[in-house]
């Protein structure tokens, strides 16, 4: 379906949602909308109170989270209008989805360069990653059949993957690759940059964020091995993070991250010794103090000219996440923009929590920006940091920077690719698209 017709579908279904609500709900439709919004606000407020309090206040807040939406549904049902609301919501969801699809645009994509076929590739594979994908897809055997040297890690005997990679380069390896999680990818990618050899990603991890944004096949990681025989080369950015002031014993080079570094609430929680044994209980016990600044470190973030004072959580990513994703945790349109993405969350009240839920990235508590360098300071000599899923403790201030085009990545010539970039919903643009593209196509839209 063309973008024009998709935009028309969005307008039609959006109008139909309003018509169903007004036609079958009558004057009560206005009351239905008010009740629905009130239920959302009360639910969001209840979640905030539940996360920031303990004892009987948490119990009451939990009851509010359950009772508020149930009360809304019961009121709709008692009025005999539950089906009207459900049909209207379904039509509205379809309208928003169609509108976003119509506004989505094909990005220019990362430029591909020719890749010289490697002669001595060296691959490191973690058999535990992704629930055992290395064995399930026979990755080691397939890679060896294509001429690669493969080291399958022994889960019972941890090894320094960076040192393995350095030894391989010293022995003549002309490509380094990893079948494993993003944290392992980052460690070996740093060695590839250090020795200026190409890097190869095999999507055998659990989430495979880096592989996803490279356009690789995450359903069948064996297809990534095609890069050994028919590859193109991408030049992608890398993030670097290091703690403390540069000086003696600290060169400022730091550690590589391919996805993100997180600060604040999440980083504090995963550092707790109790987190591994009882994640849910640990989170509930620690969140009240962390969210209200009664515990943990108070952060100050400098992202180029932007200053965030006291955010509860900060995510610094290797290239920004798509704007259409309200959580900012979906996918990155590019990995070669030369900029870090910065997402900061600062919520101090139930009202702000409700606004963040209702308005997403436009909510008052969420700040999204880009920067070449991000400095995270705190009222503590060291702070916990989550780097590509690994829990670290770094001395303050912690600095993140972007290294443009630092990593040469070999990917298969034929791969699924990155889908069209999602766009924030804008009804004016949807209307303009639906009404003008047809006229322009026939010459009537010309000035």
């Amino acid at each position: 379906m063309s973008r024009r017709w998709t935009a028309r579908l969005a307008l039609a279904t959006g109008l139909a949602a309003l018509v169903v609500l007004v036609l079958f709900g009558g004057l009560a439709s206005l009351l239905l909308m008010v009740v629905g919004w009130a239920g959302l606000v009360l639910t969001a407020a209840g979640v905030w109170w539940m996360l920031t309090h303990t004892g009987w206040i948490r119990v009451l807040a939990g009851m509010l989270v359950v009772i508020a939406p149930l009360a809304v549904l019961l009121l709709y049902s008692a009025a005999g209008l539950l089906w009207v609301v459900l049909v209207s919501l379904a039509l509205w969801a379809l309208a928003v989805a169609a509108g976003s699809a119509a506004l989505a645009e094909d990005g220019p994509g990362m430029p591909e360069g020719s890749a010289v076929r490697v002669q001595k590739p060296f691959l490191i594979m973690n058999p535990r990653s992704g629930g055992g994908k290395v064995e399930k897809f026979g990755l080691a055997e397939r890679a060896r059949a294509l001429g690669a040297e493969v080291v399958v890690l022994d889960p019972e005997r941890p090894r320094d993957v960076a040192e393995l990679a350095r030894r391989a380069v010293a022995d003549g390896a002309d490509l380094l690759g990893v079948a494993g999680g993003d944290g392992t990818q980052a460690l070996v990618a740093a060695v590839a940059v250090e020795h200026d050899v190409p890097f190869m990603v095999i999507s055998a991890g659990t989430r495979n964020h880096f592989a996803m944004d490279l356009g690789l096949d995450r359903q069948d990681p064996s297809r990534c091995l095609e890069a050994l025989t028919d590859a193109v080369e991408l030049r992608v950015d890398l993030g670097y993070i290091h703690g403390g002031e540069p000086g003696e014993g600290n060169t400022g080079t730091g550690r590589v991250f391919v996805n993100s570094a997180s600060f604040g609430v999440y980083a504090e929680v995963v550092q707790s010794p109790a987190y591994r044994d009882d994640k849910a209980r640990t989170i509930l016990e620690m969140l009240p103090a962390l969210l209200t600044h009664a515990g943990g470190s108070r952060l100050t973030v400098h992202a180029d000219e932007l200053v965030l004072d006291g955010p509860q959580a900060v995510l610094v990513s290797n290239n920004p996440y798509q704007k259409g994703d309200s959580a900012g945790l979906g996918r990155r349109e590019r990995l070669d923009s030369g900029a870090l993405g910065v997402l900061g969350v600062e919520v101090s009240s139930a009202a702000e929590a409700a606004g963040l839920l209702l308005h997403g990235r436009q909510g008052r508590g969420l700040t999204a920006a880009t920067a070449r360098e991000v400095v995270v300071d705190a009222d503590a000599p060291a702070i916990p940091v989550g780097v590509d899923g690994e829990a670290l403790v770094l001395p303050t201030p912690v600095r993140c920077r972007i290294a443009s085009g630092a990593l040469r990545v070999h990917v298969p010539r034929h791969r699924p690719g990155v889908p069209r970039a999602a766009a924030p919903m804008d009804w004016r643009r949807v209307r303009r698209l639906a009404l003008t593209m047809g006229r322009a196509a026939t010459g009537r839209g010309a000035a």
Side-chain angles (χ1 to χ4, degrees):
M1 184 182 294
S2 69
R3 292 177 60 203
R4 176 180 56 150
W5 283 103
T6 305
R8 289 178 173 178
L9 174 63
L11 290 179
T13 50
L15 180 61
L18 295 176
V19 168
V20 167
L21 194 61
V22 173
L23 185 63
F24 293 97
L27 293 177
S29 62
L30 293 176
L31 179 60
L32 292 178
M33 295 176 66
V34 171
V35 169
W37 281 105
L40 281 175
V41 170
L42 287 174
T43 302
V47 170
W48 172 257
W49 290 325
M50 188 172 65
L51 295 178
T52 56
H53 292 82
T54 59
W56 63 270
I57 296 181
R58 172 173 283 177
V59 173
L60 292 176
M63 294 174 60
L64 178 62
V65 170
V66 174
I67 292 173
L70 284 179
V72 171
L73 292 176
L74 287 175
L75 286 173
Y76 288 166
S77 180
L81 298 173
L82 181 59
W83 72 271
V84 174
V85 175
L86 295 178
V87 170
S88 182
L89 286 175
L91 288 170
W92 188 255
L94 176 60
V96 172
S100 297
L103 295 177
E105 298 178 358
D106 291 312
M110 291 182 285
E112 300 176 356
S114 59
V116 177
R117 182 163 178 173
V118 296
Q119 301 300 314
K120 195 175 179 181
F122 178 80
L123 307 180
I124 298 172
M125 298 190 179
N126 184 347
R128 284 189 173 178
S129 288
K133 289 182 181 178
V134 169
E135 181 179 354
K136 178 181 178 181
F137 290 91
L139 298 179
E141 294 77 10
R142 294 189 185 196
R144 292 185 178 117
L146 294 172
E149 180 183 353
V150 179
V151 171
V152 179
L153 301 175
D154 183 350
E156 304 302 324
R157 299 175 59 188
R159 302 180 70 177
D160 185 337
V161 294
E163 184 58 29
L164 278 175
R166 290 191 182 95
R167 289 180 183 175
V169 174
D171 291 339
D174 55 359
L175 176 141
L176 298 174
V178 173
D182 290 324
T184 307
Q185 301 277 2
L187 292 173
V188 179
V191 179
V193 172
E194 179 184 336
H195 295 279
D196 193 28
V197 298
F199 182 66
M200 178 178 162
V201 176
I202 304 170
S203 56
T206 302
R207 297 179 179 85
N208 297 299
H209 285 166
F210 192 47
M212 173 177 66
D213 296 329
L214 289 169
L216 299 175
D217 191 332
R218 295 189 297 159
Q219 304 304 316
D220 183 1
S222 66
R223 289 192 58 190
C224 299
L225 296 175
E226 295 173 12
L228 294 173
T229 56
D230 185 20
V232 293
E233 184 172 293
L234 305 177
R235 279 276 187 176
V236 306
D237 306 335
L238 284 180
Y240 282 83
I241 181 171
H242 71 89
E245 295 288 0
E248 185 176 351
N250 184 0
T251 63
T253 301
R255 177 184 175 128
V256 162
F257 60 94
V258 295
N259 289 327
S260 61
S262 60
F263 305 83
V265 172
Y266 172 75
E268 294 271 4
V269 168
V270 297
Q271 290 283 348
S272 171
Y275 181 74
R276 290 183 179 273
D277 298 327
D278 193 341
K279 292 181 173 60
R281 182 177 179 179
T282 303
I283 291 171
L284 288 174
E285 287 181 350
M286 294 183 66
L287 277 181
L290 293 174
L291 291 175
T292 59
H293 295 298
S297 304
R298 183 178 180 87
L299 304 178
T300 302
V301 181
H302 294 263
D304 289 347
E305 303 303 318
L306 175 69
V307 179
L308 301 178
D309 185 20
Q312 287 114 327
V314 177
L315 184 79
V316 179
S317 58
N318 172 23
N319 283 258
Y321 286 96
Q322 286 183 358
K323 293 181 180 179
D325 179 7
S326 60
L329 300 175
R331 66 168 68 238
R332 292 161 289 184
E333 298 172 13
R334 307 183 66 94
L335 290 169
D336 62 348
S337 70
L340 296 168
V342 183
L343 284 170
V345 178
E346 183 180 359
V347 179
S348 58
S349 67
E352 289 184 0
L356 190 59
L357 174 67
L358 297 176
H359 302 295
R361 281 207 176 200
Q362 284 69 49
R364 183 179 174 183
L366 184 65
T367 300
T370 59
R372 289 283 302 178
E373 182 182 45
V374 177
V375 180
V376 181
D377 210 342
D379 58 354
I383 55 174
V385 187
V387 181
D388 282 339
E390 184 175 349
L392 305 175
V393 176
L394 297 178
T396 54
V398 179
R399 301 176 185 274
C400 302
R401 64 179 178 86
I402 192 87
S404 300
L407 183 65
R408 298 162 54 198
V409 184
H410 281 197
V411 296
R413 187 181 305 274
H414 305 290
R415 59 194 188 280
V418 179
R420 290 191 300 171
M425 189 58 184
D426 186 332
W427 284 108
R428 290 184 180 179
R429 287 183 60 202
V430 170
R431 178 179 176 277
R432 192 181 307 124
L433 183 63
L435 298 180
T436 61
M437 286 191 68
R439 293 199 298 270
T442 59
R444 293 191 298 271

